[in-house]
Amino acid sequence: MPAVRGDGMRGLAVFISDIRNCKSKEAEIKRINKELANIRSKFKGDRTLDGYQKKKYVCKLLFIFLLGHDIDFGHMEAVNLLSSNKYTEKQIGYLFISVLVNANSELLRLIVQSIKNDLSSRNPIHVNLSLQCIANIGSKEMAEAFGGEIPKLLVSGDTIDVVKQSAALCLLRLFRTLPDIIPSGEWTSRIVHLLNDQHMGVVTAATSLIDALVKKNPEEYKGCVSLAVSRLSRIVTASYTDLQDYTYYFVPAPWLSVKLLRLLQNYPPPEDPGVRGRLNECLETILNKAQEPPKSKKVQHSNAKNAVLFEAISLIIHMDSEPNLLVRACNQLGQFLQHRETNLRYLALESMCMLATSEFSHEAVKKHQETVITALKTERDVSVRQRAVDLLYAMCDKTNAEEIVHEMLNYLETADYSIREEMVLKVAILAEKYASDYTWYVDVILNLIRIAGDYVSEEVWYRVIQIVVNREDVQGYAAKTVFEALQAPACHENMVKVGGYILGEFGNLIAGDQRSSPIIQFQLLHSKYHLCAASTRALLLSTYVKFINLFPEIKIQIQDILRSANNLRNADAELQQRASEYLQLSMVASTDVLATVLEEMPPFPERESSILAILKKKKPGRVTNNEVKEHKGSGVTNSTGIDHVTSQGTPSSNSTSIDLLGLSSPPATQVTAPTSNTSFLVDVFGDLYNSSGTNSPAMLNGSGEDNVKKFVCKNSGVLYESDLLQIGVKSEFRQNLGRIGLFYGNKTTLEFTRFTPSISCPGKLATQLSIQVKPVDPIVAGGAQVQQLINIECLEEFTDTPSLVVQYIYSGVQQNISVKLPITLNKFFEPTEMNSEAFFNRWTNLSGLKRNQNGF
């Protein structure tokens, strides 16, 4: 062990050495217990301990705590060290408190008083120690106790630079705990003007603080834009010798440059021509410096240089207003695509994905298509290959769609399992979006099912069926293609589903060819029947009864299949019912009735594709809004149309909003009355949720949609949706208990603050329902989702419903939303099992009761 010098604590060094030399865990615990007993006796028995000894013993307790052992004494001694005038003793006291004292400790009042004394001290070291302790604890109590003093310390002219730096970072920590801590008004300009401070450390800390404040209230702090551009200009144009103290491997102030560039991304391009021109000059200078030969071969130099470059490119993409800068940024990123450093290739691909969405740089990105395809085939890192897939998807348009889809299909055969599902969605979207010939689209989807059938979701094969149904020019080709695909020895179940549906609807279009005669189509489908799951068999039974209408000559063979014991006595109730009903339909109904009941599916109403919404849910932030708008109207909606005998009708009303949370299931079809869009089932329950028009979300927010009625008979879906917020519900009920998960999705890029959902039970409902609500975080970041759990107990019958009120601040404006929670009495119903005799006795009693009531 090296000798201890100066102010070193020899006893502490010896104790640490003993712990390291322990041969077993038992020996370590024995040594620690011995030391704890010694320290406890010193604290209790020796009242003359000096500061040095207290510091030494407190350090030992801190070390023992960091080893994972509980410490239940010594806190008061640490608090006493705060009153010492020696730096080392005060430092150890603050360190112990920062690590071991929690926000609910009874010692907090004593600590707060000691911190106040140090904050008002003339010794800047003591002030700094107190600021660091406040930031480390960072509790709401600390924010309330010092929220008024720290801003004054930050903007005071008497405060030295090192204290201002600590005050800015401390205020940032407290702001994240209590957003209302920083007053507005004159404080705003004084905080913003810290960007002009002479000390670079103060500017760096102040930039972090201002960036957080801007995200909460961008309008109030918009004056920081010109100051940030001015400071950035001075850094970019300076040589590494001008800022010698803040130069990192020949790069002037890289951390501050990155922070300033990020700060500017909170605002649109400056309107002032002078500020805008100066900002463009800064960005051009950064791009020019990237072309210069490196001043050092060390990796730290290239890391710092590239950090500033990529942040500058992010700002250029955010501004999206300077074609020259966008093209130059694209060319610069193109040089990184073949760089030996994996991280640079990854970042280049990621940034080019965003550049591809700009009208100014899309063509420049397309020039690197071959390089990206090569990266997709040869890159060893799966995360880089995934970014290459993202970039191919983003750069795709009508001119290169077939080539990109072809390459992605080829790669799909050997792609990593972790990205196959996402690739399938992207190929399906591109094929539909840019299909000039829908026969090509059908080929692509069938290839998808053949290559990666396990990863083809229901939405994908629903989609191809809807498009085939809606386009007469492709129906014959689709029938012929799926017939050929089904002849493969190994055929994926999704292919059987698509083949069953399309042949059931359009098999007559290829029946003229002897190679695909009706009996051959039927035998080919039935050869797959016993290998499929129950849901697929149900679809095939629907196809068989369709064949009876299309091909009367094979009616007997189909009836034999429907009549077989495997179907009529199947353990699956759905299969048994279908076989029985289809058999009776084929035997009883006349030819005209069969033709009416089993007629071809009508075209699906055009609506936005659900596949894009699924991809957006899987990769939030990577599917841009303009892609959603471009995709809209390119095809028809997803609808659960697999049961094509019983699901004819009109799907539920269109909604152009994207399902951010992915909670809404594909819209179920229903038969609609000519004068109403509301299903009969919902009408039975009357106007349960509309007792007060003032609580309608549609009235509170013009783009909201009141979906609450549909939850009478379902347990999950979207309860409320507007341009800002989506509220999803997932619930489960058992006997008199229920649990609801509310999912609040922020659909914007800005955060919600003071986010407060509350639940109220009007009138008698408070005694009829017991509701326990778990609180949620008051801040919801942009694009984020938070969950709130609610436990419900039904105490007695009830007729009213609880209300959910959500209040939050968005872009400085208070938002209020009120909606009824989907808690109705039927949720707590339980089925009762009884034999036929018990059932009819119960029924007779109910009938008798009704007669007595009528008589009375």
Side-chain angles (χ1 to χ4, degrees):
M1 187 184 71
V4 180
R5 299 178 182 176
D7 196 37
M9 293 171 280
R10 183 172 181 82
L12 175 64
V14 171
F15 174 61
I16 294 174
S17 178
D18 290 346
I19 294 296
R20 288 176 177 173
N21 292 333
C22 288
K23 302 298 184 184
S24 64
K25 187 68 176 175
E26 291 75 12
E28 177 185 311
I29 294 174
K30 184 178 179 181
R31 179 68 181 88
I32 287 173
N33 288 337
K34 178 182 177 182
E35 191 64 37
L36 286 174
N38 177 55
I39 297 173
R40 195 186 298 269
S41 65
K42 292 289 185 182
F43 284 168
K44 284 186 176 181
D46 193 348
R47 300 294 181 181
T48 61
L49 286 178
D50 59 16
Y52 169 79
Q53 290 174 313
K54 285 183 182 179
K55 177 183 70 172
K56 179 179 67 175
Y57 293 135
V58 167
C59 271
K60 287 183 178 181
L61 291 176
L62 184 58
F63 179 71
I64 293 171
F65 177 79
L66 295 176
L67 288 176
H69 301 271
D70 291 332
I71 299 297
D72 57 1
F73 69 98
H75 298 75
M76 198 63 206
E77 284 71 17
V79 172
N80 291 336
L81 287 176
L82 299 184
S83 59
S84 172
N85 288 323
K86 289 187 177 181
Y87 169 75
T88 55
E89 294 174 8
K90 190 181 288 288
Q91 180 193 34
I92 296 300
Y94 274 123
L95 181 60
F96 184 92
I97 288 167
S98 299
V99 175
L100 272 84
V101 174
N102 60 48
N104 299 320
S105 174
E106 296 177 356
L107 296 174
L108 205 58
R109 290 184 180 179
L110 293 175
I111 297 169
V112 166
Q113 187 56 48
S114 297
I115 292 175
K116 284 185 176 179
N117 294 337
D118 284 336
L119 274 182
S120 58
S121 171
R122 294 185 178 182
N123 188 334
I125 295 176
H126 293 177
V127 178
N128 256 1
L129 284 174
S130 61
L131 288 171
Q132 290 161 14
C133 181
I134 295 170
N136 284 332
I137 296 177
S139 64
K140 185 178 179 181
E141 290 74 13
M142 285 289 184
E144 291 172 348
F146 302 106
E149 298 179 29
I150 297 177
K152 295 177 183 176
L153 201 62
L154 176 62
V155 300
S156 172
D158 298 330
T159 307
I160 66 171
D161 294 332
V162 68
V163 174
K164 278 187 180 180
Q165 192 173 345
S166 297
L169 296 176
C170 181
L171 197 56
L172 173 60
R173 175 68 177 86
L174 296 183
F175 171 76
R176 290 169 177 166
T177 302
L178 192 65
D180 297 330
I181 187 175
I182 299 180
S184 56
E186 61 173 325
W187 291 95
T188 301
S189 60
R190 298 177 73 177
I191 291 174
V192 165
H193 275 84
L194 289 173
L195 294 174
N196 271 339
D197 199 277
Q198 298 297 317
H199 193 274
M200 295 292 285
V202 174
V203 178
T204 305
T207 305
S208 298
L209 174 62
I210 294 169
D211 186 51
L213 295 172
V214 161
K215 285 180 170 60
K216 181 194 172 191
N217 195 344
E219 189 63 27
E220 188 174 353
Y221 289 89
K222 64 181 180 180
C224 69
V225 173
S226 58
L227 296 178
V229 171
S230 175
R231 174 62 74 171
L232 181 66
S233 176
R234 279 180 273 170
I235 295 172
V236 169
T237 56
S239 65
Y240 64 90
T241 54
D242 296 337
L243 300 171
Q244 197 163 2
D245 292 339
Y246 286 87
T247 295
Y248 180 78
Y249 287 89
F250 303 100
V251 180
W255 286 278
L256 178 55
S257 300
V258 167
K259 287 176 184 289
L260 290 169
L261 290 165
R262 285 184 181 171
L263 174 61
L264 292 170
Q265 290 176 47
N266 293 305
Y267 292 96
E271 297 178 359
D272 188 324
V275 176
R276 189 166 184 166
R278 196 171 184 183
L279 177 57
N280 290 340
E281 288 177 10
C282 292
L283 297 173
E284 286 180 1
T285 304
I286 293 172
L287 292 175
N288 292 336
K289 286 186 175 180
Q291 300 289 341
E292 298 175 358
K295 294 182 173 65
S296 172
K297 293 182 179 180
K298 292 186 176 181
V299 67
Q300 292 92 335
H301 171 72
S302 60
N303 285 346
K305 187 177 177 181
N306 291 331
V308 177
L309 173 63
F310 276 101
E311 208 58 55
I313 291 175
S314 294
L315 178 58
I316 292 171
I317 295 170
H318 170 77
M319 292 167 59
D320 195 22
S321 59
E322 301 294 332
N324 180 46
L325 288 176
L326 286 163
V327 173
R328 285 196 60 188
C330 181
N331 295 336
Q332 181 64 49
L333 292 172
Q335 297 177 18
F336 290 135
L337 291 179
Q338 294 176 315
H339 199 279
R340 63 180 182 179
E341 177 63 40
T342 304
N343 289 336
L344 282 179
R345 297 197 300 273
Y346 178 93
L347 291 171
L349 289 167
E350 188 175 45
S351 298
M352 289 185 81
C353 285
M354 294 184 286
L355 277 172
T357 61
S358 171
E359 59 177 327
F360 301 118
S361 55
H362 183 79
E363 291 300 321
V365 172
K366 284 170 58 179
K367 294 177 182 178
H368 302 282
Q369 180 177 321
E370 292 302 322
T371 307
V372 178
I373 291 173
T374 303
L376 183 64
K377 296 176 179 177
T378 60
E379 186 63 54
R380 289 179 295 177
D381 191 311
V382 62
S383 61
V384 180
R385 291 198 297 272
Q386 190 166 6
R387 293 290 82 78
V389 170
D390 292 343
L391 180 52
L392 286 175
Y393 172 77
M395 70 167 61
C396 189
D397 58 22
K398 290 183 179 180
T399 62
N400 59 2
E402 292 194 17
E403 183 181 356
I404 287 178
V405 168
H406 176 71
E407 292 292 346
M408 292 176 76
L409 281 174
N410 288 342
Y411 174 65
L412 190 57
E413 298 190 31
T414 57
D416 298 84
Y417 293 108
S418 60
I419 64 173
R420 284 193 179 188
E421 185 177 3
E422 183 187 333
M423 284 193 67
V424 166
L425 288 173
K426 288 184 173 177
V427 170
I429 290 169
L430 294 179
E432 180 186 346
K433 188 175 181 180
Y434 299 114
S436 55
D437 179 5
Y438 273 88
T439 58
W440 171 74
Y441 170 74
V442 171
D443 288 338
V444 169
I445 301 300
L446 295 184
N447 268 332
L448 269 183
I449 297 174
R450 178 183 60 81
I451 295 170
D454 289 337
Y455 300 91
V456 176
S457 63
E458 289 184 336
E459 286 78 10
V460 174
W461 70 264
Y462 287 173
R463 193 72 177 152
V464 68
I465 286 172
Q466 292 157 17
I467 287 180
V468 170
V469 168
N470 280 34
R471 302 189 67 88
E472 293 184 5
D473 56 331
V474 81
Q475 290 167 357
Y477 179 81
K480 178 183 176 183
T481 307
V482 295
F483 177 78
E484 294 172 352
L486 287 171
Q487 293 176 347
C491 190
H492 195 275
E493 191 165 334
N494 281 337
M495 186 72 78
V496 178
K497 292 177 182 177
V498 175
Y501 196 111
I502 291 179
L503 291 179
E505 294 291 334
F506 312 112
N508 59 311
L509 299 179
I510 60 171
D513 190 334
Q514 290 300 316
R515 293 169 296 180
S516 55
S517 63
I519 189 64
I520 293 177
Q521 290 185 42
F522 171 65
Q523 290 172 347
L524 179 61
L525 282 174
H526 196 60
S527 66
K528 315 291 183 185
Y529 184 84
H530 301 289
L531 304 174
C532 296
S535 60
T536 307
R537 293 185 189 184
L539 186 146
L540 289 178
L541 289 178
S542 298
T543 299
Y544 296 167
V545 77
K546 284 271 189 173
F547 277 175
I548 292 177
N549 180 46
L550 291 176
F551 314 121
E553 62 269 27
I554 61 172
K555 178 177 180 179
I556 296 175
Q557 291 93 323
I558 294 175
Q559 286 178 334
D560 290 340
I561 297 298
L562 296 175
R563 195 180 287 115
S564 66
N566 287 340
N567 289 322
L568 284 181
R569 294 186 176 88
N570 197 289
D572 188 289
E574 177 71 15
L575 291 178
Q576 185 184 122
Q577 183 177 356
R578 288 193 186 216
S580 175
E581 292 181 357
Y582 292 168
L583 178 61
Q584 289 300 314
L585 181 66
S586 67
M587 294 169 61
V588 174
S590 64
T591 305
D592 292 339
V593 172
L594 274 179
T596 303
V597 174
L598 303 174
E599 66 179 348
E600 187 178 296
M601 283 290 289
F604 293 89
E606 292 198 2
R607 245 186 68 184
E608 182 183 59
S609 170
S610 63
I611 307 177
L612 194 64
I614 295 172
L615 181 62
K616 187 171 184 179
K617 181 182 72 172
K618 289 182 175 294
K619 300 297 289 290
R622 296 200 181 279
V623 182
T624 58
N625 289 331
N626 64 320
E627 286 176 309
V628 174
K629 291 174 184 175
E630 289 173 6
H631 200 67
K632 189 174 177 182
S634 61
V636 290
T637 185
N638 170 36
S639 179
T640 51
I642 60 172
D643 297 340
H644 43 278
V645 173
T646 59
S647 62
Q648 298 179 14
T650 306
S652 56
S653 60
N654 183 15
S655 171
T656 56
S657 59
I658 296 302
D659 183 19
L660 181 68
L661 304 178
L663 292 170
S664 59
S665 55
T669 58
Q670 61 188 30
V671 179
T672 57
T675 59
S676 174
N677 290 328
T678 308
S679 71
F680 175 72
L681 181 61
V682 173
D683 285 341
V684 168
F685 290 90
D687 212 19
L688 178 65
Y689 290 100
N690 287 334
S691 58
S692 173
T694 59
N695 288 335
S696 170
M699 296 182 69
L700 288 167
N701 192 317
S703 59
E705 181 180 353
D706 189 355
N707 295 324
V708 75
K709 283 186 177 181
K710 66 184 179 184
F711 290 97
V712 171
C713 296
K714 63 186 292 188
N715 287 332
S716 64
V718 175
L719 177 65
Y720 169 87
E721 186 163 15
S722 68
D723 294 336
L724 306 180
L725 176 70
Q726 184 185 65
I727 305 176
V729 173
K730 285 188 178 180
S731 58
E732 58 180 348
F733 295 86
R734 183 173 300 171
Q735 295 180 358
N736 68 321
L737 301 177
R739 181 169 64 182
I740 292 181
L742 294 177
F743 299 84
Y744 304 101
N746 184 349
K747 297 175 65 175
T748 71
T749 56
L750 300 178
E751 66 179 16
F752 296 159
T753 58
R754 298 189 192 175
F755 188 82
T756 311
S758 59
I759 295 174
S760 60
C761 295
K764 292 183 179 180
L765 191 62
T767 62
Q768 296 165 340
L769 286 179
S770 173
I771 299 179
Q772 295 178 343
V773 183
K774 183 179 179 182
V776 296
D777 195 310
I779 297 177
V780 182
Q785 169 190 321
V786 296
Q787 179 182 2
Q788 184 177 40
L789 292 178
I790 303 171
N791 294 318
I792 310 113
E793 182 180 2
C794 180
L795 304 176
E796 55 183 274
E797 296 175 9
F798 63 95
T799 56
D800 207 344
T801 50
S803 296
L804 169 68
V805 177
V806 181
Q807 297 178 324
Y808 61 95
I809 293 178
Y810 168 75
S811 190
V813 179
Q814 177 77 29
Q815 306 288 332
N816 296 294
I817 295 163
S818 179
V819 66
K820 292 287 188 180
L821 274 181
I823 304 175
T824 49
L825 188 60
N826 66 301
K827 299 292 185 182
F828 301 97
F829 290 173
E830 283 283 309
T832 301
E833 294 184 5
M834 60 180 73
N835 56 28
S836 57
E837 182 179 355
F839 172 76
F840 282 111
N841 286 336
R842 178 75 65 88
W843 183 261
T844 302
N845 292 334
L846 290 174
S847 301
L849 178 63
K850 185 176 181 181
R851 283 196 300 271
N852 292 336
Q853 288 175 341
N854 290 338
F856 177 78

